[in-house]
Amino acid sequence: MLNTETPATQHASLDQYPTAELVNVLVDDQFKAVEAVRAAAPAIGAAVAAALPRMQAGGRLVYVGAGTSGRLGVLDSVELYPTFSWPHERAVALLAGGSGAMFVAVEGAEDDVAQGAADIAGARVEANDVVLLVAASGATPYVLGALRAARAAGALTVGFANNPGAPVAQEADIGIVLDTGAEAISGSTRLKAGTSQKIALNTFSSALMVRLNKVYGNLMVDLKATNAKLVRRAVRLTVFATGAEEADARAVLEQCGFHVKVAIVALSRNIPVEQARALLETAHGSVRQALGA
């Protein structure tokens, strides 16, 4: 029996726990998700290093999963644009059962090997793409079908699973095993297995974006200011990075479409926005390099 499906013997009377104890047990069990990701950190680092040149060459991140795992992939993919200005078309999410399965479970969709392969073909996966395949069991047929098709297309495949020896991790170019063990509620991998997947995907994509010069120091300088909150954040980040007065920072941001990177270089070097933008382009988007730091 898979670790994720094995009943946790220490919680055989979970339904009889007082509410306070029940809540504490469910919370405490989540700490094992962090431990599992920490143990997998070297593999996550290897995946970032392998993905970087493909992204620099114009490749895409393609997330594949079913159920909770698939929905977590969708979540990571859609957050890359507002956080790092990563183009929508370069973060593709393939979910067993289609986009509707994000909200309503599509029974049996995860068992379709052929559909996984067909969805990879439909997404026109190529050699520069990085395909992230997520499955708690590590043996979801839809995900395995996608994995094999992605490998045949020459893409880099990264498999995330919550069971040692899982096919998704073994067959991928890089396997990331998040060994979270038995769930407090037997088989409910939306609990700590899902939490570990969220942490691992978040860590992978965030580290990759740092390597792609989307961050200056620890500041999120390539965000898309698509609402009032993010406009205020862009102003705060620019003020923090440059020491400029808020009014001056806002004025420069308005000139460059609230692109924080450009505003930081323009204010720091006291140059026009267009010159700052050109410097950043020459520096491959690195604020530090554009500033000569």
Side-chain angles (χ1 to χ4, degrees):
M1 186 178 292
L2 298 175
N3 287 354
T4 50
E5 300 294 331
T6 303
T9 56
Q10 66 269 43
H11 299 304
S13 301
L14 187 77
D15 61 335
Q16 296 178 310
Y17 289 179
T19 300
E21 183 181 357
L22 172 63
V23 170
N24 285 334
V25 163
L26 292 171
V27 170
D28 289 346
D29 204 46
Q30 297 288 325
F31 284 105
K32 295 176 184 175
V34 178
E35 294 169 2
V37 179
R38 169 65 74 181
I44 296 172
V48 172
L52 181 60
R54 295 178 188 242
M55 296 301 99
Q56 291 170 328
R60 301 173 297 166
L61 294 173
V62 181
Y63 298 76
V64 181
T68 296
S69 300
R71 294 182 189 104
L72 288 170
V74 173
L75 178 62
D76 204 69
S77 73
V78 299
E79 290 181 342
L80 294 180
Y81 176 77
T83 309
F84 300 113
S85 293
W86 189 251
H88 291 297
E89 63 273 16
R90 295 184 67 188
V92 178
L94 303 178
L95 179 59
S99 58
M102 188 72 188
F103 305 100
V104 179
V106 179
E107 301 301 333
E110 67 177 58
D111 298 326
D112 196 336
V113 176
Q115 190 60 53
D119 285 353
I120 288 292
R124 299 188 179 184
V125 167
E126 299 177 344
N128 280 331
D129 293 333
V130 176
V131 182
L132 309 171
L133 304 118
V134 192
S137 69
T140 305
Y142 174 85
V143 177
L144 289 175
L147 165 60
R148 291 159 188 164
R151 291 203 67 182
L156 174 69
T157 55
V158 183
F160 296 79
N162 291 92
N163 288 285
V168 164
Q170 289 189 325
E171 293 185 28
D173 295 305
I174 298 173
I176 297 173
V177 177
L178 308 167
D179 189 5
T180 45
E183 296 286 0
I185 298 176
S186 178
S188 181
T189 52
R190 64 180 289 271
L191 297 176
K192 68 175 176 286
T195 300
S196 72
Q197 293 170 2
K198 174 69 169 73
I199 298 170
L201 288 171
N202 205 327
T203 300
F204 168 82
S205 60
S206 297
L208 184 59
M209 293 299 136
V210 172
R211 292 279 80 90
L212 289 167
N213 299 320
K214 302 290 186 177
V215 174
Y216 171 50
N218 67 342
L219 304 181
M220 190 173 69
V221 295
D222 214 1
L223 62 88
K224 283 293 184 188
T226 53
N227 57 41
K229 176 189 73 175
L230 293 175
V231 166
R232 292 192 296 272
R233 183 176 295 166
V235 174
R236 285 197 302 272
L237 288 168
T238 304
V239 168
F240 186 87
T242 64
E245 294 295 326
E246 182 174 327
D248 294 334
R250 183 177 287 273
V252 173
L253 282 164
E254 288 174 349
Q255 294 175 35
C256 61
F258 282 84
H259 195 172
V260 176
K261 276 185 172 186
V262 176
I264 289 173
V265 174
L267 285 162
S268 298
R269 299 195 63 162
N270 194 26
I271 58 176
V273 161
E274 287 309 313
Q275 188 177 345
R277 188 174 282 119
L279 279 173
L280 279 165
E281 187 173 344
T282 301
H284 306 289
S286 170
V287 172
R288 196 172 295 280
Q289 188 175 332
L291 294 177

PDB file of all heavy atoms in Angstrom, residues 37-67:
ATOM      1  N   VAL A  37       9.621  18.651   2.031  1.00  0.00           N
ATOM      2  CA  VAL A  37      10.168  19.543   1.005  1.00  0.00           C
ATOM      3  C   VAL A  37      11.623  19.866   1.307  1.00  0.00           C
ATOM      4  O   VAL A  37      12.464  19.923   0.408  1.00  0.00           O
ATOM      5  CB  VAL A  37       9.332  20.834   0.885  1.00  0.00           C
ATOM      6  CG1 VAL A  37       9.924  21.753  -0.175  1.00  0.00           C
ATOM      7  CG2 VAL A  37       7.890  20.509   0.530  1.00  0.00           C
ATOM      8  N   ARG A  38      11.935  20.060   2.577  1.00  0.00           N
ATOM      9  CA  ARG A  38      13.330  20.318   2.955  1.00  0.00           C
ATOM     10  C   ARG A  38      14.223  19.163   2.510  1.00  0.00           C
ATOM     11  O   ARG A  38      15.305  19.372   1.971  1.00  0.00           O
ATOM     12  CB  ARG A  38      13.412  20.520   4.466  1.00  0.00           C
ATOM     13  CG  ARG A  38      14.827  20.535   5.022  1.00  0.00           C
ATOM     14  CD  ARG A  38      15.652  21.702   4.529  1.00  0.00           C
ATOM     15  NE  ARG A  38      15.255  22.947   5.155  1.00  0.00           N
ATOM     16  CZ  ARG A  38      15.819  24.121   4.880  1.00  0.00           C
ATOM     17  NH1 ARG A  38      16.768  24.197   3.945  1.00  0.00           N
ATOM     18  NH2 ARG A  38      15.431  25.213   5.484  1.00  0.00           N
ATOM     19  N   ALA A  39      13.764  17.930   2.709  1.00  0.00           N
ATOM     20  CA  ALA A  39      14.550  16.763   2.300  1.00  0.00           C
ATOM     21  C   ALA A  39      14.728  16.708   0.788  1.00  0.00           C
ATOM     22  O   ALA A  39      15.723  16.179   0.283  1.00  0.00           O
ATOM     23  CB  ALA A  39      13.879  15.490   2.804  1.00  0.00           C
ATOM     24  N   ALA A  40      13.762  17.259   0.063  1.00  0.00           N
ATOM     25  CA  ALA A  40      13.816  17.236  -1.406  1.00  0.00           C
ATOM     26  C   ALA A  40      14.491  18.473  -1.992  1.00  0.00           C
ATOM     27  O   ALA A  40      14.565  18.611  -3.219  1.00  0.00           O
ATOM     28  CB  ALA A  40      12.400  17.121  -1.968  1.00  0.00           C
ATOM     29  N   ALA A  41      15.000  19.367  -1.149  1.00  0.00           N
ATOM     30  CA  ALA A  41      15.580  20.629  -1.636  1.00  0.00           C
ATOM     31  C   ALA A  41      16.681  20.438  -2.681  1.00  0.00           C
ATOM     32  O   ALA A  41      16.716  21.177  -3.676  1.00  0.00           O
ATOM     33  CB  ALA A  41      16.087  21.463  -0.458  1.00  0.00           C
ATOM     34  N   PRO A  42      17.601  19.464  -2.517  1.00  0.00           N
ATOM     35  CA  PRO A  42      18.621  19.290  -3.569  1.00  0.00           C
ATOM     36  C   PRO A  42      18.026  18.979  -4.937  1.00  0.00           C
ATOM     37  O   PRO A  42      18.493  19.489  -5.965  1.00  0.00           O
ATOM     38  CB  PRO A  42      19.458  18.120  -3.038  1.00  0.00           C
ATOM     39  CG  PRO A  42      19.293  18.181  -1.549  1.00  0.00           C
ATOM     40  CD  PRO A  42      17.856  18.591  -1.357  1.00  0.00           C
ATOM     41  N   ALA A  43      16.983  18.158  -4.966  1.00  0.00           N
ATOM     42  CA  ALA A  43      16.348  17.832  -6.247  1.00  0.00           C
ATOM     43  C   ALA A  43      15.632  19.047  -6.821  1.00  0.00           C
ATOM     44  O   ALA A  43      15.650  19.272  -8.047  1.00  0.00           O
ATOM     45  CB  ALA A  43      15.355  16.674  -6.061  1.00  0.00           C
ATOM     46  N   ILE A  44      15.009  19.854  -5.966  1.00  0.00           N
ATOM     47  CA  ILE A  44      14.348  21.074  -6.445  1.00  0.00           C
ATOM     48  C   ILE A  44      15.389  22.029  -7.027  1.00  0.00           C
ATOM     49  O   ILE A  44      15.182  22.633  -8.088  1.00  0.00           O
ATOM     50  CB  ILE A  44      13.557  21.744  -5.305  1.00  0.00           C
ATOM     51  CG1 ILE A  44      12.421  20.828  -4.843  1.00  0.00           C
ATOM     52  CG2 ILE A  44      12.987  23.089  -5.767  1.00  0.00           C
ATOM     53  CD1 ILE A  44      11.690  21.303  -3.603  1.00  0.00           C
ATOM     54  N   GLY A  45      16.536  22.144  -6.341  1.00  0.00           N
ATOM     55  CA  GLY A  45      17.614  22.994  -6.857  1.00  0.00           C
ATOM     56  C   GLY A  45      18.120  22.514  -8.208  1.00  0.00           C
ATOM     57  O   GLY A  45      18.390  23.320  -9.115  1.00  0.00           O
ATOM     58  N   ALA A  46      18.230  21.198  -8.362  1.00  0.00           N
ATOM     59  CA  ALA A  46      18.673  20.644  -9.645  1.00  0.00           C
ATOM     60  C   ALA A  46      17.657  20.952 -10.741  1.00  0.00           C
ATOM     61  O   ALA A  46      18.035  21.237 -11.891  1.00  0.00           O
ATOM     62  CB  ALA A  46      18.870  19.135  -9.515  1.00  0.00           C
ATOM     63  N   ALA A  47      16.379  20.920 -10.386  1.00  0.00           N
ATOM     64  CA  ALA A  47      15.341  21.230 -11.373  1.00  0.00           C
ATOM     65  C   ALA A  47      15.408  22.690 -11.804  1.00  0.00           C
ATOM     66  O   ALA A  47      15.243  23.013 -12.988  1.00  0.00           O
ATOM     67  CB  ALA A  47      13.963  20.905 -10.790  1.00  0.00           C
ATOM     68  N   VAL A  48      15.654  23.594 -10.864  1.00  0.00           N
ATOM     69  CA  VAL A  48      15.791  25.014 -11.190  1.00  0.00           C
ATOM     70  C   VAL A  48      16.969  25.222 -12.145  1.00  0.00           C
ATOM     71  O   VAL A  48      16.854  25.917 -13.167  1.00  0.00           O
ATOM     72  CB  VAL A  48      15.973  25.857  -9.913  1.00  0.00           C
ATOM     73  CG1 VAL A  48      16.312  27.307 -10.262  1.00  0.00           C
ATOM     74  CG2 VAL A  48      14.717  25.806  -9.048  1.00  0.00           C
ATOM     75  N   ALA A  49      18.099  24.608 -11.820  1.00  0.00           N
ATOM     76  CA  ALA A  49      19.301  24.759 -12.661  1.00  0.00           C
ATOM     77  C   ALA A  49      19.073  24.217 -14.062  1.00  0.00           C
ATOM     78  O   ALA A  49      19.521  24.808 -15.057  1.00  0.00           O
ATOM     79  CB  ALA A  49      20.488  24.055 -12.003  1.00  0.00           C
ATOM     80  N   ALA A  50      18.377  23.097 -14.171  1.00  0.00           N
ATOM     81  CA  ALA A  50      18.126  22.501 -15.488  1.00  0.00           C
ATOM     82  C   ALA A  50      17.093  23.289 -16.278  1.00  0.00           C
ATOM     83  O   ALA A  50      17.155  23.360 -17.511  1.00  0.00           O
ATOM     84  CB  ALA A  50      17.660  21.054 -15.311  1.00  0.00           C
ATOM     85  N   ALA A  51      16.140  23.897 -15.575  1.00  0.00           N
ATOM     86  CA  ALA A  51      15.076  24.648 -16.259  1.00  0.00           C
ATOM     87  C   ALA A  51      15.565  25.999 -16.764  1.00  0.00           C
ATOM     88  O   ALA A  51      15.056  26.508 -17.781  1.00  0.00           O
ATOM     89  CB  ALA A  51      13.895  24.847 -15.305  1.00  0.00           C
ATOM     90  N   LEU A  52      16.511  26.603 -16.066  1.00  0.00           N
ATOM     91  CA  LEU A  52      16.920  27.980 -16.372  1.00  0.00           C
ATOM     92  C   LEU A  52      17.311  28.197 -17.836  1.00  0.00           C
ATOM     93  O   LEU A  52      16.778  29.114 -18.485  1.00  0.00           O
ATOM     94  CB  LEU A  52      18.049  28.402 -15.427  1.00  0.00           C
ATOM     95  CG  LEU A  52      18.564  29.825 -15.606  1.00  0.00           C
ATOM     96  CD1 LEU A  52      17.461  30.852 -15.375  1.00  0.00           C
ATOM     97  CD2 LEU A  52      19.733  30.081 -14.637  1.00  0.00           C
ATOM     98  N   PRO A  53      18.230  27.412 -18.412  1.00  0.00           N
ATOM     99  CA  PRO A  53      18.597  27.689 -19.808  1.00  0.00           C
ATOM    100  C   PRO A  53      17.442  27.528 -20.782  1.00  0.00           C
ATOM    101  O   PRO A  53      17.388  28.217 -21.801  1.00  0.00           O
ATOM    102  CB  PRO A  53      19.718  26.669 -20.093  1.00  0.00           C
ATOM    103  CG  PRO A  53      19.586  25.634 -19.036  1.00  0.00           C
ATOM    104  CD  PRO A  53      19.024  26.317 -17.844  1.00  0.00           C
ATOM    105  N   ARG A  54      16.507  26.664 -20.475  1.00  0.00           N
ATOM    106  CA  ARG A  54      15.349  26.488 -21.354  1.00  0.00           C
ATOM    107  C   ARG A  54      14.431  27.710 -21.288  1.00  0.00           C
ATOM    108  O   ARG A  54      13.877  28.128 -22.297  1.00  0.00           O
ATOM    109  CB  ARG A  54      14.599  25.207 -20.991  1.00  0.00           C
ATOM    110  CG  ARG A  54      15.441  23.953 -21.257  1.00  0.00           C
ATOM    111  CD  ARG A  54      14.716  22.684 -20.852  1.00  0.00           C
ATOM    112  NE  ARG A  54      15.596  21.533 -20.941  1.00  0.00           N
ATOM    113  CZ  ARG A  54      15.425  20.479 -21.740  1.00  0.00           C
ATOM    114  NH1 ARG A  54      14.376  20.445 -22.553  1.00  0.00           N
ATOM    115  NH2 ARG A  54      16.272  19.475 -21.753  1.00  0.00           N
ATOM    116  N   MET A  55      14.294  28.270 -20.096  1.00  0.00           N
ATOM    117  CA  MET A  55      13.487  29.490 -19.979  1.00  0.00           C
ATOM    118  C   MET A  55      14.193  30.654 -20.672  1.00  0.00           C
ATOM    119  O   MET A  55      13.546  31.480 -21.334  1.00  0.00           O
ATOM    120  CB  MET A  55      13.234  29.822 -18.504  1.00  0.00           C
ATOM    121  CG  MET A  55      12.417  28.795 -17.738  1.00  0.00           C
ATOM    122  SD  MET A  55      10.756  28.508 -18.424  1.00  0.00           S
ATOM    123  CE  MET A  55      11.041  26.986 -19.367  1.00  0.00           C
ATOM    124  N   GLN A  56      15.487  30.732 -20.538  1.00  0.00           N
ATOM    125  CA  GLN A  56      16.248  31.799 -21.201  1.00  0.00           C
ATOM    126  C   GLN A  56      16.176  31.680 -22.717  1.00  0.00           C
ATOM    127  O   GLN A  56      16.316  32.678 -23.432  1.00  0.00           O
ATOM    128  CB  GLN A  56      17.703  31.769 -20.722  1.00  0.00           C
ATOM    129  CG  GLN A  56      17.861  32.175 -19.262  1.00  0.00           C
ATOM    130  CD  GLN A  56      19.252  31.921 -18.725  1.00  0.00           C
ATOM    131  OE1 GLN A  56      19.937  30.969 -19.140  1.00  0.00           O
ATOM    132  NE2 GLN A  56      19.710  32.744 -17.791  1.00  0.00           N
ATOM    133  N   ALA A  57      15.927  30.467 -23.188  1.00  0.00           N
ATOM    134  CA  ALA A  57      15.813  30.229 -24.632  1.00  0.00           C
ATOM    135  C   ALA A  57      14.376  30.408 -25.126  1.00  0.00           C
ATOM    136  O   ALA A  57      14.092  30.147 -26.298  1.00  0.00           O
ATOM    137  CB  ALA A  57      16.308  28.830 -24.970  1.00  0.00           C
ATOM    138  N   GLY A  58      13.470  30.829 -24.233  1.00  0.00           N
ATOM    139  CA  GLY A  58      12.098  31.099 -24.652  1.00  0.00           C
ATOM    140  C   GLY A  58      11.103  29.996 -24.347  1.00  0.00           C
ATOM    141  O   GLY A  58       9.958  30.050 -24.827  1.00  0.00           O
ATOM    142  N   GLY A  59      11.514  28.997 -23.577  1.00  0.00           N
ATOM    143  CA  GLY A  59      10.629  27.883 -23.266  1.00  0.00           C
ATOM    144  C   GLY A  59       9.503  28.255 -22.314  1.00  0.00           C
ATOM    145  O   GLY A  59       9.452  29.368 -21.768  1.00  0.00           O
ATOM    146  N   ARG A  60       8.614  27.300 -22.109  1.00  0.00           N
ATOM    147  CA  ARG A  60       7.444  27.507 -21.261  1.00  0.00           C
ATOM    148  C   ARG A  60       7.478  26.561 -20.063  1.00  0.00           C
ATOM    149  O   ARG A  60       8.120  25.501 -20.110  1.00  0.00           O
ATOM    150  CB  ARG A  60       6.160  27.230 -22.047  1.00  0.00           C
ATOM    151  CG  ARG A  60       5.960  28.092 -23.278  1.00  0.00           C
ATOM    152  CD  ARG A  60       4.752  27.605 -24.073  1.00  0.00           C
ATOM    153  NE  ARG A  60       4.964  26.241 -24.558  1.00  0.00           N
ATOM    154  CZ  ARG A  60       4.005  25.455 -25.054  1.00  0.00           C
ATOM    155  NH1 ARG A  60       2.757  25.901 -25.122  1.00  0.00           N
ATOM    156  NH2 ARG A  60       4.271  24.245 -25.476  1.00  0.00           N
ATOM    157  N   LEU A  61       6.764  26.948 -19.022  1.00  0.00           N
ATOM    158  CA  LEU A  61       6.477  26.045 -17.915  1.00  0.00           C
ATOM    159  C   LEU A  61       5.113  25.422 -18.190  1.00  0.00           C
ATOM    160  O   LEU A  61       4.134  26.139 -18.413  1.00  0.00           O
ATOM    161  CB  LEU A  61       6.451  26.802 -16.593  1.00  0.00           C
ATOM    162  CG  LEU A  61       7.782  27.405 -16.134  1.00  0.00           C
ATOM    163  CD1 LEU A  61       7.568  28.279 -14.905  1.00  0.00           C
ATOM    164  CD2 LEU A  61       8.801  26.305 -15.844  1.00  0.00           C
ATOM    165  N   VAL A  62       5.055  24.105 -18.175  1.00  0.00           N
ATOM    166  CA  VAL A  62       3.803  23.388 -18.433  1.00  0.00           C
ATOM    167  C   VAL A  62       3.512  22.517 -17.211  1.00  0.00           C
ATOM    168  O   VAL A  62       4.286  21.616 -16.882  1.00  0.00           O
ATOM    169  CB  VAL A  62       3.900  22.522 -19.699  1.00  0.00           C
ATOM    170  CG1 VAL A  62       2.577  21.808 -19.950  1.00  0.00           C
ATOM    171  CG2 VAL A  62       4.293  23.371 -20.905  1.00  0.00           C
ATOM    172  N   TYR A  63       2.420  22.816 -16.536  1.00  0.00           N
ATOM    173  CA  TYR A  63       2.038  22.089 -15.328  1.00  0.00           C
ATOM    174  C   TYR A  63       1.008  21.019 -15.693  1.00  0.00           C
ATOM    175  O   TYR A  63       0.056  21.289 -16.421  1.00  0.00           O
ATOM    176  CB  TYR A  63       1.407  23.036 -14.308  1.00  0.00           C
ATOM    177  CG  TYR A  63       2.312  24.143 -13.803  1.00  0.00           C
ATOM    178  CD1 TYR A  63       2.607  25.258 -14.590  1.00  0.00           C
ATOM    179  CD2 TYR A  63       2.841  24.095 -12.513  1.00  0.00           C
ATOM    180  CE1 TYR A  63       3.411  26.282 -14.115  1.00  0.00           C
ATOM    181  CE2 TYR A  63       3.643  25.116 -12.020  1.00  0.00           C
ATOM    182  CZ  TYR A  63       3.927  26.203 -12.826  1.00  0.00           C
ATOM    183  OH  TYR A  63       4.719  27.226 -12.359  1.00  0.00           O
ATOM    184  N   VAL A  64       1.180  19.817 -15.136  1.00  0.00           N
ATOM    185  CA  VAL A  64       0.263  18.714 -15.433  1.00  0.00           C
ATOM    186  C   VAL A  64      -0.139  18.026 -14.130  1.00  0.00           C
ATOM    187  O   VAL A  64       0.722  17.700 -13.301  1.00  0.00           O
ATOM    188  CB  VAL A  64       0.918  17.671 -16.362  1.00  0.00           C
ATOM    189  CG1 VAL A  64      -0.077  16.551 -16.681  1.00  0.00           C
ATOM    190  CG2 VAL A  64       1.418  18.324 -17.649  1.00  0.00           C
ATOM    191  N   GLY A  65      -1.439  17.794 -13.955  1.00  0.00           N
ATOM    192  CA  GLY A  65      -1.890  17.073 -12.773  1.00  0.00           C
ATOM    193  C   GLY A  65      -3.372  16.775 -12.835  1.00  0.00           C
ATOM    194  O   GLY A  65      -4.078  17.197 -13.752  1.00  0.00           O
ATOM    195  N   ALA A  66      -3.833  16.057 -11.819  1.00  0.00           N
ATOM    196  CA  ALA A  66      -5.254  15.728 -11.696  1.00  0.00           C
ATOM    197  C   ALA A  66      -5.698  16.042 -10.272  1.00  0.00           C
ATOM    198  O   ALA A  66      -4.903  15.980  -9.336  1.00  0.00           O
ATOM    199  CB  ALA A  66      -5.483  14.248 -11.995  1.00  0.00           C
ATOM    200  N   GLY A  67      -6.966  16.401 -10.107  1.00  0.00           N
ATOM    201  CA  GLY A  67      -7.490  16.663  -8.781  1.00  0.00           C
ATOM    202  C   GLY A  67      -6.744  17.768  -8.057  1.00  0.00           C
ATOM    203  O   GLY A  67      -6.382  18.786  -8.657  1.00  0.00           O
TER     204      GLY A  67
END
